[in-house]
Amino acid sequence: MSDEVLTVLAEWTVAEATEEIRRNAEDTQDLYVVFVIDSSKHLQGFVTIRRLLLSPAEATIGDIMRTDVRYVTTDVDQEEVARTMERYDLVSLAVVDDEQRLVGHVAIDDAMDVIREEAEEDYQRLSGITGDEEPTDSVFRITRGRLPWLFLGMIGAVFAGSVIGVYEENIRRASVLAAFIPVVMAMAGNAGIQSSAIIVQGLASGEVWSANMFRRLGKELLVAIVNGLALAMMMLVVVLLLFGWLATVWSSVVTPAPEPTRLAVTAGLSLFAVIVLAAGIGVATPLMLDRIGVDPALATGPFITTSNDIIGLIVFFMLATTLYLPFV
Amino acid sequence: MSDEVLTVLAEWTVAEATEEIRRNAEDTQDLYVVFVIDSSKHLQGFVTIRRLLLSPAEATIGDIMRTDVRYVTTDVDQEEVARTMERYDLVSLAVVDDEQRLVGHVAIDDAMDVIREEAEEDYQRLSGITGDEEPTDSVFRITRGRLPWLFLGMIGAVFAGSVIGVYEENIRRASVLAAFIPVVMAMAGNAGIQSSAIIVQGLASGEVWSANMFRRLGKELLVAIVNGLALAMMMLVVVLLLFGWLATVWSSVVTPAPEPTRLAVTAGLSLFAVIVLAAGIGVATPLMLDRIGVDPALATGPFITTSNDIIGLIVFFMLATTLYLPFV
């Protein structure tokens, strides 16, 4: 916000207002709108410079001003300010205190910088970078912004590793199960990020309100069910081809697995369950963070991926233990 | 771009220019700048409405106009247009054809929309969403934008699974190795995304040029070495504690691994190698895509993660085969 804001009074004529602008010539290089206030500084309206130019010199500001003036209070955060200016195509937005007195204004170019910066920040958070990294930052500063997420990611991955550790005996008995770990992790991560990204973006642009929460959740789950079914079918076919057909004709390349059909069903069912669960977590986490007042952008990227990895692996090994292991 | 652009001639007076604006009153609601052209429509300069207001009615446009007018040609892409307006704080940018004739202008609010849209698109690509998804899109349209990436991710994960399949015999002999798969995958993915995100963002804002390629690569590798060393040391300690100390005092919880020190060194070394390699791939991929004219934003997210997963697993199993397996 800039507190150098040019104001005029409603009872002034166009000629007087123009004279005021001329007197402040050096401060008003990029002036497109002047705000109209009363004697106690309360915001009354605004006049565009174009309107001043086209109005007769003797007209009063009160006659030509527009009273549908948009404003924000000083406690509104900068992202909300930028969003308001974007939505109503404003070049200058009035800022008032809690008694409606004009204290400054925000110019469009500042709002544009805010939009760019907020977008960059969200992008970096999604990539697991805290703070705001610039290409010119020192190695120390860059490391400080990245190591915390890598560290948290490692802690999460150690937990995911522990899940596998719990099922170590199963892997020893059916080592083919280990080959499915990357598939489960990749799909859980990707499906979760897709869902959470849309929610985070919707929250940032003000398009998703908490009231819509259950509708959004429903739509994401429907998308996840369609995607999950499609990928589960493909996975089923891939496993049948690899461990059924290919393993019988070319056993030097693929170690044959016993019960390939059971393995394929287990893999397909796990994939479906993991994708739907991941989408649910991807939607619910940012929505809930937003409700309790935490920036939902923090939840995307490494955080969602890590929790989905762990949950995905638990689901996979539980299904494998029930559907596959007892039969091999 | 809007081709409804109000123009004036340099020989007109301020009064004549004002009359022209008045005649086009309904088209000029949001007018802040008028462009000055000659009789064959070549762009000569611009005058702000403020300048018109403050100048005497009999002054000529040629006297008060500014000739340092910024413009773009019709073939410049919208992101570059928005970036130019942002950099020079313009509210209106002239668009000329290849003979310097004014054909239109871009208003600041359109540029702001472009910045928001491009940022949203990059964010969605990083999340593995192709196209431009809106919350109001149908389930079919959303699925079409997401399934391709999930599918490619699954193909990649099947390859990663094949890497594990190749080392299946090793896993049967030392099933503890499977527990490290999530750590390797998570770290390879995270470190790669962090590096590539910064490069993609730098390329988008014009801060990274190909000429800087080797300097950027060097800086990222330095950051990766610092992060890699820190995390490798932590991993080493974690493995020693878990499989050395904890396994001896509480073997009902942790299955003791033979040669815990060798296992810890293997894990630490793998983590370091994987993080440095992932950072290198994360930097090199978007820079090379940019050089050959492909949008580098396509390379981030699922693509970088998947390739790093595969390379990370290969590195881990190669090191484990050399440093750990022969001794257990």
Side-chain angles (χ1 to χ4, degrees):
Chain A
M1 186 191 83
S2 159
D3 48 10
E4 283 175 4
V5 54
L6 192 73
T7 54
V8 294
L9 295 174
E11 54 268 31
W12 287 4
T13 63
V14 167
E16 285 169 325
T18 309
E19 191 46 44
E20 172 73 7
I21 297 172
R22 198 186 307 274
R23 262 198 305 273
N24 295 283
E26 64 268 35
D27 295 338
T28 64
Q29 277 304 331
D30 292 319
L31 180 78
Y32 309 108
V33 166
V34 290
F35 292 106
V36 185
I37 55 170
D38 66 15
S39 53
S40 43
K41 291 205 165 184
H42 292 109
L43 183 62
Q44 304 286 302
F46 73 100
V47 180
T48 63
I49 300 298
R50 172 186 162 284
R51 192 75 196 262
L52 275 180
L53 176 71
L54 299 184
S55 298
E58 64 282 5
T60 63
I61 296 297
D63 290 337
I64 66 166
M65 76 176 183
R66 281 175 59 178
T67 52
D68 57 335
V69 56
R70 306 231 169 240
Y71 55 86
V72 287
T73 48
T74 44
D75 57 342
V76 172
D77 78 33
Q78 59 171 9
E79 198 167 7
E80 179 63 35
V81 170
R83 211 181 296 155
T84 303
M85 299 188 72
E86 197 183 4
R87 190 170 303 145
Y88 301 108
D89 292 338
L90 307 175
V91 290
S92 175
L93 176 63
V95 181
V96 299
D97 64 15
D98 45 15
E99 288 166 39
Q100 288 273 103
R101 283 182 304 229
L102 186 69
V103 291
H105 79 119
V106 180
I108 181 85
D109 48 314
D110 295 329
M112 208 155 163
D113 293 344
V114 168
I115 285 186
R116 167 83 74 187
E117 278 161 25
E118 297 276 349
E120 287 190 349
E121 204 181 291
D122 284 355
Y123 192 87
Q124 292 189 2
R125 281 192 174 160
L126 182 57
S127 315
I129 300 171
T130 34
D132 181 25
E133 183 178 323
E134 299 289 338
T136 49
D137 285 348
S138 69
V139 170
F140 174 72
R141 208 183 121 81
I142 294 176
T143 304
R144 208 177 47 184
R146 295 196 198 173
L147 193 53
W149 268 125
L150 288 178
F151 177 68
L152 287 177
M154 195 176 86
I155 300 291
V158 167
F159 273 101
S162 312
V163 171
I164 296 175
V166 169
Y167 293 97
E168 206 180 309
E169 187 49 40
N170 299 1
I171 292 175
R172 198 169 300 143
R173 279 175 53 205
S175 54
V176 69
L177 291 181
F180 291 94
I181 295 173
V183 181
V184 169
M185 284 179 69
M187 292 296 101
N190 290 351
I193 290 294
Q194 286 182 339
S195 296
S196 67
I198 289 301
I199 301 299
V200 169
Q201 235 171 34
L203 288 167
S205 70
E207 279 160 358
V208 176
W209 291 273
S210 301
N212 269 337
M213 186 161 162
F214 290 103
R215 259 192 74 198
R216 289 291 310 167
L217 191 65
K219 197 170 193 174
E220 283 300 322
L221 287 182
L222 201 55
V223 171
I225 288 170
V226 176
N227 282 336
L229 277 177
L231 294 165
M233 296 300 283
M234 291 184 226
M235 195 65 206
L236 194 118
V237 173
V238 166
V239 174
L240 275 180
L241 280 177
L242 275 179
F243 295 99
W245 176 76
L246 193 63
T248 51
V249 301
W250 206 359
S251 60
S252 56
V253 174
V254 182
T255 318
E259 297 280 348
T261 314
R262 283 209 162 259
L263 187 63
V265 171
T266 305
L269 210 59
S270 303
L271 207 54
F272 177 76
V274 161
I275 287 171
V276 173
L277 265 175
I281 292 165
V283 177
T285 313
L287 282 175
M288 279 186 311
L289 283 183
D290 186 59
R291 275 229 171 151
I292 60 170
V294 177
D295 183 352
L298 275 174
T300 44
F303 183 81
I304 291 272
T305 313
T306 305
S307 14
N308 280 341
D309 280 353
I310 296 173
I311 292 165
L313 288 171
I314 293 176
V315 169
F316 169 66
F317 278 108
M318 276 173 58
L319 284 173
T321 307
T322 322
L323 301 178
Y324 182 67
L325 275 169
F327 303 88
V328 296
Chain B
M1 186 190 83
S2 160
D3 50 9
E4 283 176 2
V5 54
L6 194 72
T7 55
V8 295
L9 295 173
E11 54 268 32
W12 288 1
T13 62
V14 167
E16 285 169 324
T18 308
E19 191 47 42
E20 172 73 7
I21 297 171
R22 199 186 306 274
R23 262 199 305 275
N24 295 283
E26 64 269 35
D27 297 337
T28 63
Q29 278 303 334
D30 293 320
L31 180 79
Y32 309 110
V33 167
V34 290
F35 292 107
V36 185
I37 55 172
D38 67 15
S39 54
S40 43
K41 289 205 167 182
H42 291 108
L43 183 62
Q44 304 286 302
F46 73 100
V47 180
T48 62
I49 299 297
R50 172 187 164 281
R51 191 76 196 262
L52 276 180
L53 176 71
L54 300 184
S55 299
E58 65 283 4
T60 64
I61 297 297
D63 290 338
I64 64 166
M65 76 176 184
R66 282 176 59 179
T67 53
D68 57 334
V69 56
R70 306 232 167 237
Y71 55 86
V72 287
T73 49
T74 44
D75 57 341
V76 172
D77 78 33
Q78 58 171 8
E79 196 166 8
E80 179 63 36
V81 170
R83 212 182 295 157
T84 304
M85 298 187 72
E86 196 183 3
R87 190 169 305 144
Y88 300 108
D89 291 338
L90 307 176
V91 290
S92 175
L93 176 64
V95 181
V96 298
D97 64 15
D98 45 16
E99 288 166 39
Q100 286 275 104
R101 284 182 304 229
L102 186 69
V103 291
H105 80 121
V106 180
I108 181 86
D109 47 316
D110 295 329
M112 207 155 164
D113 292 344
V114 167
I115 285 186
R116 167 82 72 186
E117 278 160 26
E118 297 277 348
E120 287 190 350
E121 204 180 291
D122 284 355
Y123 192 88
Q124 292 189 2
R125 281 192 174 158
L126 181 58
S127 316
I129 300 171
T130 33
D132 181 25
E133 184 178 322
E134 298 289 338
T136 50
D137 284 349
S138 69
V139 169
F140 174 72
R141 209 185 121 81
I142 294 177
T143 304
R144 209 177 48 187
R146 297 198 198 171
L147 192 54
W149 268 126
L150 289 178
F151 177 67
L152 287 176
M154 195 177 84
I155 301 290
V158 167
F159 273 101
S162 312
V163 171
I164 296 175
V166 169
Y167 293 96
E168 206 180 309
E169 187 50 41
N170 298 0
I171 292 175
R172 198 169 300 143
R173 278 176 53 207
S175 54
V176 69
L177 291 181
F180 291 95
I181 295 173
V183 181
V184 169
M185 286 180 67
M187 291 297 101
N190 290 351
I193 289 294
Q194 284 182 340
S195 296
S196 67
I198 289 303
I199 300 299
V200 169
Q201 232 170 37
L203 288 167
S205 70
E207 278 160 358
V208 175
W209 290 273
S210 301
N212 268 338
M213 186 160 159
F214 289 103
R215 259 193 73 197
R216 288 293 309 170
L217 192 64
K219 198 170 194 175
E220 283 299 321
L221 287 182
L222 201 56
V223 171
I225 288 169
V226 176
N227 282 336
L229 277 177
L231 295 166
M233 296 300 283
M234 290 185 228
M235 195 66 206
L236 194 120
V237 173
V238 166
V239 174
L240 274 180
L241 280 178
L242 275 179
F243 295 99
W245 176 76
L246 194 63
T248 51
V249 302
W250 207 358
S251 58
S252 57
V253 174
V254 182
T255 318
E259 297 281 349
T261 314
R262 283 209 161 258
L263 188 64
V265 171
T266 305
L269 210 59
S270 303
L271 206 55
F272 177 75
V274 161
I275 287 171
V276 173
L277 265 175
I281 292 165
V283 177
T285 313
L287 282 176
M288 280 187 307
L289 283 184
D290 186 59
R291 275 229 172 151
I292 61 170
V294 177
D295 183 352
L298 276 175
T300 42
F303 183 80
I304 292 271
T305 312
T306 304
S307 16
N308 281 341
D309 280 354
I310 296 173
I311 293 165
L313 289 171
I314 294 176
V315 169
F316 169 66
F317 279 108
M318 277 172 58
L319 285 173
T321 308
T322 323
L323 301 178
Y324 182 66
L325 274 169
F327 304 90
V328 295

